[in-house]
Amino acid sequence: MPQSLIIVESPTKVKTIKKYLGPDFDVRASMGHVMDLPKSKLGIDIQNDFEPTYQVIETKKKVIAELKKAAKNAENIYLAPDPDREGEAIAWHIAHEIAAKGKVIRRVLFNDLTENTILEAIRKPLDLDFNKYEAQQTRRILDRLVGYQISPLLWEKVKRGLSAGRVQSVAVRIICDREAEISKFVPEEYWNITASLEGSNPPSFVARLARIDGKRAKVVNESQSAEIVEKLKTAPFVVSKVEKKEMKRSAAPPFTTSKLQQEASRKLSFSAKKTMSVAQKLYEGIELGKEGSVGLITYMRTDSVRIAEEALKEARTYIRQNYDPDYLPAKPRVFKNAGTAQDAHEAIRPSAMAYKPQDVRAHLNNDQFRLYQLIWNRFVASQMNPAVFDQTTIDIAAGACTFRAQGSVMTFPGFTIVYTEGREDNGNGNGDEGEFGRILPALRENEILKLLALKPEQKFTQPPPRFTEATLVRELEENGIGRPSTYATILSTIQDREYVRLEKQRFYPTDLGVLVTDLLVKNFPRELDVAFTASLESMLDRIEEGKVKRLDTLKDFYIPFAAELDKAKTGMRNVKRQETPTDLSCEKCGSPMVIKWGRNGEFLACSNYPACKNTQNFTRDDEGKVMSSEPQKAETDIACEKCGSQMAVKQGRFGTFLGCSGYPECKNIVNVRKDENGAMTPVKEEVSDIACSVCGLPMLVKRGKFGPFLGCSGYPECKNIVKTGKGADGTAQSPAPEMTDTLCDKCGRPMAIKRGRFGRFLGCSGYPECKNIVKIKAGG
């Protein structure tokens, strides 16, 4: 019987840890958090020092029961959830639930899941960290106080289902503020003038106008550009200065969480959520054949660039064995953490240099391999010598103007033979193009150059770029919003709430996001302030360090928040009830149209609602005038086959169709296609030879969002539909269900194998009279 019980957070770690600890250890998983605040109420006793009410999560009651049973039989109990605040909270909650008289519960931290780390942690167990738990509790309570008290306000004033969050709302504000900057941006014209020149030595090269009369060149329009070009046509171009110097570029440190998310976004097109999911698997363990499960990287939630001494030695040994001596520095490279870094864990690195990416590739899927290779290369490069460049700058005098040419030539690649950091494409087009790699001829001072061509080029300043996932994570990190464990969640949440959308890898605020942000900024300016949110994050760090008390932090936050909350209950604009009159009239009843707010933003609605339910989309012209954006519903010569009214051309999600002009009394619609002359003709539905299994009428071949299907011709009275295929002759066929020998336990008819959204299942052949279904077990 195992003498010790070790409880981890994730079941995927169990096999990895068991391999190293042997039969004396019973390794079990909590499957994440086991306790939380109740979902149905606030769960915080504000009057009693903000005391939280935790309860065992319903789906974890069985897990807790099994852990309690295992704890009774164990002499030693070790809690090993992830080594961060959330993991510490899980450890405290497990300890609370399984505590038994005479049992000592200890905490162990695994920065990576290698044999040495695991055995060392077991040899030197720790006490549970109360301060770290207090920091997590404070964050959880703050988030609950904000979310559970502002969200109902949004339900009342805007629409049900909306949410506000202490951090997520600030992230949305950052995106909205950037969009406002872009909207207000006024482009400014400027001109670049480049000269193609040739000296006594090849090759020819280009230089850009840099100064006029000794001042920075600023050419603002075409006439000024033309005047300069005209003067330069007769001016001699003379080399005034040649400057050469050696430049060095050092490698970036190994990854922190935010830097990994940024680089994976740039180089691998991974979302932050995907990056963390793949990294989690690499950390928890990959099956490597006979070796079993091996954790390939260190813990992936960290803001530190610190590297363990043993890892530095391994990296230097690897470089010494695989590269020329010039690539290895005389001493290990040690990186300095930012002032705000918690430094609880090392940087993200390979757990052991023995597992080269190419050697373990066969055991990884493509995403795992690419991310592991990225982490490996960055770590190895971080311990290599700098790249060396010869940079040349040439100034050329031409009358009152000075042109400049720059070029760099790499003389030693250094770390770049392994890894180069990605650059963010900000898409703004401002500034000069990079000159790296440009070859310049050997020139001497006072050498007269031959002018080959002058090229004036019109440019316009560009607005600040919209955020990508990488740049938003960087913005959050630089402003102290969130922590390594929360970046991916923040980005996912603001998209799931439909406050922002990611389009062509850029974040755009939705109308809903702009509206909610505007309401929150006006009514909760302190909570939506970036600097204030950052100060709260710093306060959580200080609680973890034992320098600040949880209660003091909560009181300081809540007293002014409660006052803002009371004020907002009466003062916040009620968008639900707000109607903005327009000059447009309803096309159905003639009443004025008003602007209302809905799930997808503003829309036009008839003021005669609910008697008239007409709605339309709208746009505004350059002067802000409201105009309907609905296409004209032109009536046709085609009569509705159901009521005799004329059919009208309409637009829907899937294109143009004909709808009865008698809508809403008659809801008949017909698909259409254009003939050779561009005229629209109805697409008649093909009548199949298959009878409806429900009512016996013929089935029609129809087309929907997911392709063709059979629909009963008795629709809407009979709504039976069947997926279809094609027979050998091309005609539609209803796929015959595969009958089984199993009989329905409700009506006694044979059960048939059917397919549904979640795979195969057994369904009664007597459907729809008998709707009995049975899941098919895996392997059945």
Side-chain angles (χ1 to χ4, degrees):
M1 180 181 292
Q3 296 180 333
S4 299
L5 170 67
I6 182 165
I7 301 173
V8 295
E9 191 172 327
S10 168
T12 55
K13 295 180 186 177
V14 171
K15 188 180 291 187
T16 306
I17 295 170
K18 268 187 174 180
K19 181 179 72 170
Y20 298 126
L21 294 180
D24 288 340
F25 280 81
D26 180 10
V27 186
R28 300 186 178 234
S30 71
M31 316 289 284
H33 280 276
V34 296
M35 301 181 76
D36 199 5
L37 299 171
K39 290 185 177 181
S40 57
K41 57 183 180 180
L42 181 64
I44 308 293
D45 189 346
I46 296 170
Q47 304 304 321
N48 186 27
D49 292 339
F50 304 94
E51 193 63 31
T53 302
Y54 292 109
Q55 58 187 31
V56 175
I57 299 169
E58 188 64 31
T59 56
K60 298 298 178 67
K61 288 183 176 179
K62 184 178 179 182
V63 173
I64 287 294
E66 291 173 350
L67 293 179
K68 281 183 177 179
K69 185 177 179 181
K72 285 182 181 179
N73 300 321
E75 293 182 15
N76 306 302
I77 302 173
Y78 301 97
L79 301 180
D82 287 350
D84 57 13
R85 289 177 190 162
E86 294 302 311
E88 198 66 30
I90 293 171
W92 275 84
H93 290 156
I94 292 173
H96 177 270
E97 289 299 305
I98 70 170
K101 191 174 181 181
K103 298 282 185 179
V104 177
I105 299 176
R106 304 301 302 276
R107 180 80 161 103
V108 290
L109 304 176
F110 300 146
N111 185 55
D112 59 60
L113 296 185
T114 56
E115 183 174 9
N116 287 341
T117 300
I118 292 171
L119 295 178
E120 183 67 15
I122 296 296
R123 280 194 293 266
K124 299 178 180 178
L126 308 169
D127 292 326
L128 290 169
D129 190 332
F130 178 72
N131 290 332
K132 186 181 283 190
Y133 176 46
E134 283 284 85
Q136 190 276 343
Q137 282 200 98
T138 307
R139 181 201 64 76
R140 189 75 182 94
I141 293 169
L142 285 170
D143 290 347
R144 178 58 68 100
L145 290 173
V146 172
Y148 268 51
Q149 295 189 88
I150 294 182
S151 296
L153 261 181
L154 295 177
W155 300 354
E156 178 189 343
K157 306 288 186 178
V158 185
K159 64 184 284 289
R160 286 195 66 82
L162 296 181
S163 73
R166 184 181 61 84
V167 177
Q168 76 173 49
S169 296
V170 176
V172 176
R173 180 185 183 173
I174 289 172
I175 294 171
C176 289
D177 286 350
R178 175 59 57 88
E179 196 68 23
E181 285 182 64
I182 294 170
S183 298
K184 293 176 183 176
F185 184 82
V186 178
E188 293 182 6
E189 180 183 11
Y190 69 98
W191 286 70
N192 283 337
I193 300 175
T194 55
S196 295
L197 301 164
E198 186 177 75
S200 56
N201 294 310
S204 61
F205 64 100
V206 296
R208 180 176 293 176
L209 178 63
R211 294 192 298 274
I212 301 174
D213 291 326
K215 298 178 181 178
R216 184 174 175 271
K218 189 176 182 181
V219 184
V220 297
N221 54 48
E222 186 176 11
S223 60
Q224 184 186 0
S225 172
E227 183 181 341
I228 293 171
V229 169
E230 190 61 32
K231 289 180 180 178
L232 288 170
K233 285 180 179 177
T234 57
F237 282 72
V238 181
V239 177
S240 59
K241 186 167 102 176
V242 178
E243 185 180 62
K244 293 183 179 181
K245 58 182 176 180
E246 185 180 85
M247 304 286 291
K248 292 184 179 181
R249 187 196 304 168
S250 296
F255 284 124
T256 60
T257 301
S258 69
K259 291 297 188 289
L260 177 63
Q261 290 171 354
Q262 292 170 48
E263 196 74 336
S265 174
R266 286 189 289 251
K267 288 196 168 185
L268 308 180
S269 297
F270 283 8
S271 67
K273 184 177 181 179
K274 179 175 181 177
T275 298
M276 296 310 290
S277 175
V278 176
Q280 182 90 30
K281 182 61 180 171
L282 292 173
Y283 164 70
E284 291 178 347
I286 299 291
E287 288 289 335
L288 300 184
K290 293 180 180 179
E291 282 196 66
S293 184
V294 175
L296 292 178
I297 65 170
T298 54
Y299 190 58
M300 63 284 156
R301 294 184 181 94
T302 177
D303 57 5
S304 174
V305 291
R306 175 174 56 84
I307 306 170
E309 187 175 341
E310 189 64 31
L312 285 175
K313 290 178 181 177
E314 275 196 55
R316 289 176 61 79
T317 299
Y318 174 82
I319 295 167
R320 186 180 296 110
Q321 292 174 348
N322 291 274
Y323 297 94
D324 290 341
D326 291 343
Y327 289 91
L328 184 67
K331 297 180 180 179
R333 296 190 69 219
V334 178
F335 301 94
K336 187 177 180 182
N337 279 320
T340 56
Q342 293 178 281
D343 198 29
H345 316 292
E346 283 187 69
I348 303 169
R349 60 168 176 81
S351 58
M353 299 303 291
Y355 302 109
K356 301 174 188 176
Q358 291 297 338
D359 291 348
V360 298
R361 183 169 192 170
H363 305 284
L364 305 176
N365 64 36
N366 191 47
D367 289 340
Q368 291 167 349
F369 171 74
R370 293 169 71 201
L371 191 66
Y372 182 52
Q373 187 174 52
L374 192 71
I375 293 168
W376 173 281
N377 289 347
R378 173 101 165 201
F379 175 62
V380 172
S382 74
Q383 290 303 310
M384 299 179 80
N385 270 323
V388 182
F389 308 87
D390 278 343
Q391 180 171 295
T392 302
T393 302
I394 302 173
D395 284 351
I396 300 113
C401 299
T402 301
F403 284 74
R404 174 165 290 177
Q406 288 184 314
S408 298
V409 177
M410 181 183 288
T411 57
F412 177 66
F415 72 91
T416 65
I417 64 168
V418 176
Y419 177 87
T420 53
E421 191 170 22
R423 296 180 62 185
E424 186 66 33
D425 176 16
N426 62 22
N428 63 19
N430 295 336
D432 294 341
E433 298 293 329
E435 304 291 343
F436 175 75
R438 177 175 293 174
I439 304 297
L440 296 176
L443 300 174
R444 64 183 185 279
E445 290 186 7
N446 299 319
E447 181 176 345
I448 298 174
L449 305 174
K450 180 181 179 181
L451 177 64
L452 302 177
L454 279 171
K455 181 183 177 183
E457 187 177 9
Q458 184 186 38
K459 297 276 189 178
F460 290 93
T461 56
Q462 298 294 312
R466 291 181 176 87
F467 290 107
T468 62
E469 284 213 348
T471 56
L472 183 57
V473 168
R474 185 178 66 199
E475 187 80 5
L476 293 172
E477 182 185 37
E478 290 177 352
N479 283 284
I481 306 298
R483 283 297 180 260
S485 60
T486 64
Y487 297 136
T489 303
I490 293 169
L491 268 59
S492 296
T493 300
I494 61 178
Q495 293 176 76
D496 293 343
R497 302 299 187 198
E498 297 183 354
Y499 290 146
V500 302
R501 70 180 191 277
L502 195 59
E503 190 174 300
K504 295 181 179 178
Q505 298 188 330
R506 302 278 171 174
F507 279 112
Y508 291 77
T510 62
D511 289 342
L512 181 63
V514 172
L515 172 69
V516 170
T517 299
D518 181 61
L519 292 173
L520 294 180
V521 168
K522 287 179 179 176
N523 291 275
F524 299 94
R526 188 181 70 130
E527 287 70 26
L528 267 289
D529 181 67
V530 171
F532 176 74
T533 305
S535 71
L536 276 181
E537 296 289 352
S538 298
M539 199 63 69
L540 296 178
D541 294 343
R542 296 186 69 193
I543 292 171
E544 183 171 339
E545 294 163 3
K547 297 177 180 177
V548 175
K549 297 296 182 184
R550 166 166 63 104
L551 182 57
D552 294 338
T553 302
L554 293 172
K555 282 182 176 178
D556 289 346
F557 169 81
Y558 193 75
I559 293 172
F561 173 68
E564 289 178 335
L565 196 62
D566 288 340
K567 189 176 178 182
K569 287 176 181 177
T570 55
M572 182 182 284
R573 178 161 61 103
N574 195 321
V575 179
K576 273 186 180 179
R577 299 178 184 176
Q578 183 175 299
E579 294 181 355
T580 305
T582 71
D583 296 330
L584 300 176
S585 298
C586 175
E587 61 182 10
K588 293 188 180 292
C589 71
S591 301
M593 298 292 280
V594 295
I595 298 174
K596 288 188 174 183
W597 183 267
R599 176 180 179 84
N600 298 313
E602 292 178 311
F603 65 97
L604 287 173
C606 181
S607 59
N608 195 26
Y609 179 88
C612 178
K613 298 180 180 178
N614 185 29
T615 62
Q616 294 180 3
N617 293 322
F618 73 91
T619 58
R620 288 185 171 92
D621 62 17
D622 294 339
E623 297 177 357
K625 185 179 178 181
V626 175
M627 301 182 300
S628 173
S629 61
E630 292 288 323
Q632 293 296 315
K633 299 177 178 66
E635 292 188 352
T636 68
D637 296 331
I638 302 169
C640 174
E641 60 185 11
K642 294 197 174 182
C643 73
S645 300
Q646 287 179 305
M647 300 294 279
V649 179
K650 298 186 178 184
Q651 296 289 328
R653 281 181 70 190
F654 305 109
T656 305
F657 66 95
L658 295 181
C660 182
S661 60
Y663 180 87
E665 287 74 23
C666 179
K667 299 179 180 178
N668 184 31
I669 62 171
V670 178
N671 290 329
V672 293
R673 63 167 170 253
K674 290 184 179 180
D675 61 19
E676 296 175 354
N677 300 318
M680 277 175 286
T681 58
V683 178
K684 292 186 178 181
E685 292 166 337
E686 175 189 344
V687 180
S688 74
D689 296 329
I690 301 165
C692 175
S693 61
V694 176
C695 69
L697 291 174
M699 299 291 277
L700 302 177
V701 179
K702 299 191 175 189
R703 289 192 170 273
K705 183 178 179 181
F706 302 106
F709 65 95
L710 295 177
C712 182
S713 58
Y715 180 87
E717 288 75 21
C718 178
K719 298 179 180 178
N720 184 30
I721 62 172
V722 180
K723 289 183 180 179
T724 184
K726 284 191 175 181
D729 58 356
T731 59
Q733 289 187 343
S734 174
E738 182 183 342
M739 307 304 290
T740 69
D741 295 330
T742 305
L743 298 180
C744 175
D745 57 9
K746 292 189 176 180
C747 71
R749 281 177 281 201
M751 299 290 278
I753 297 176
K754 299 185 178 184
R755 290 188 176 274
R757 183 179 176 188
F758 301 107
R760 300 192 309 159
F761 65 94
L762 292 179
C764 181
S765 59
Y767 180 87
E769 288 79 14
C770 178
K771 298 180 179 178
N772 185 28
I773 63 171
V774 179
K775 290 182 180 178
I776 295 178
K777 295 181 180 179

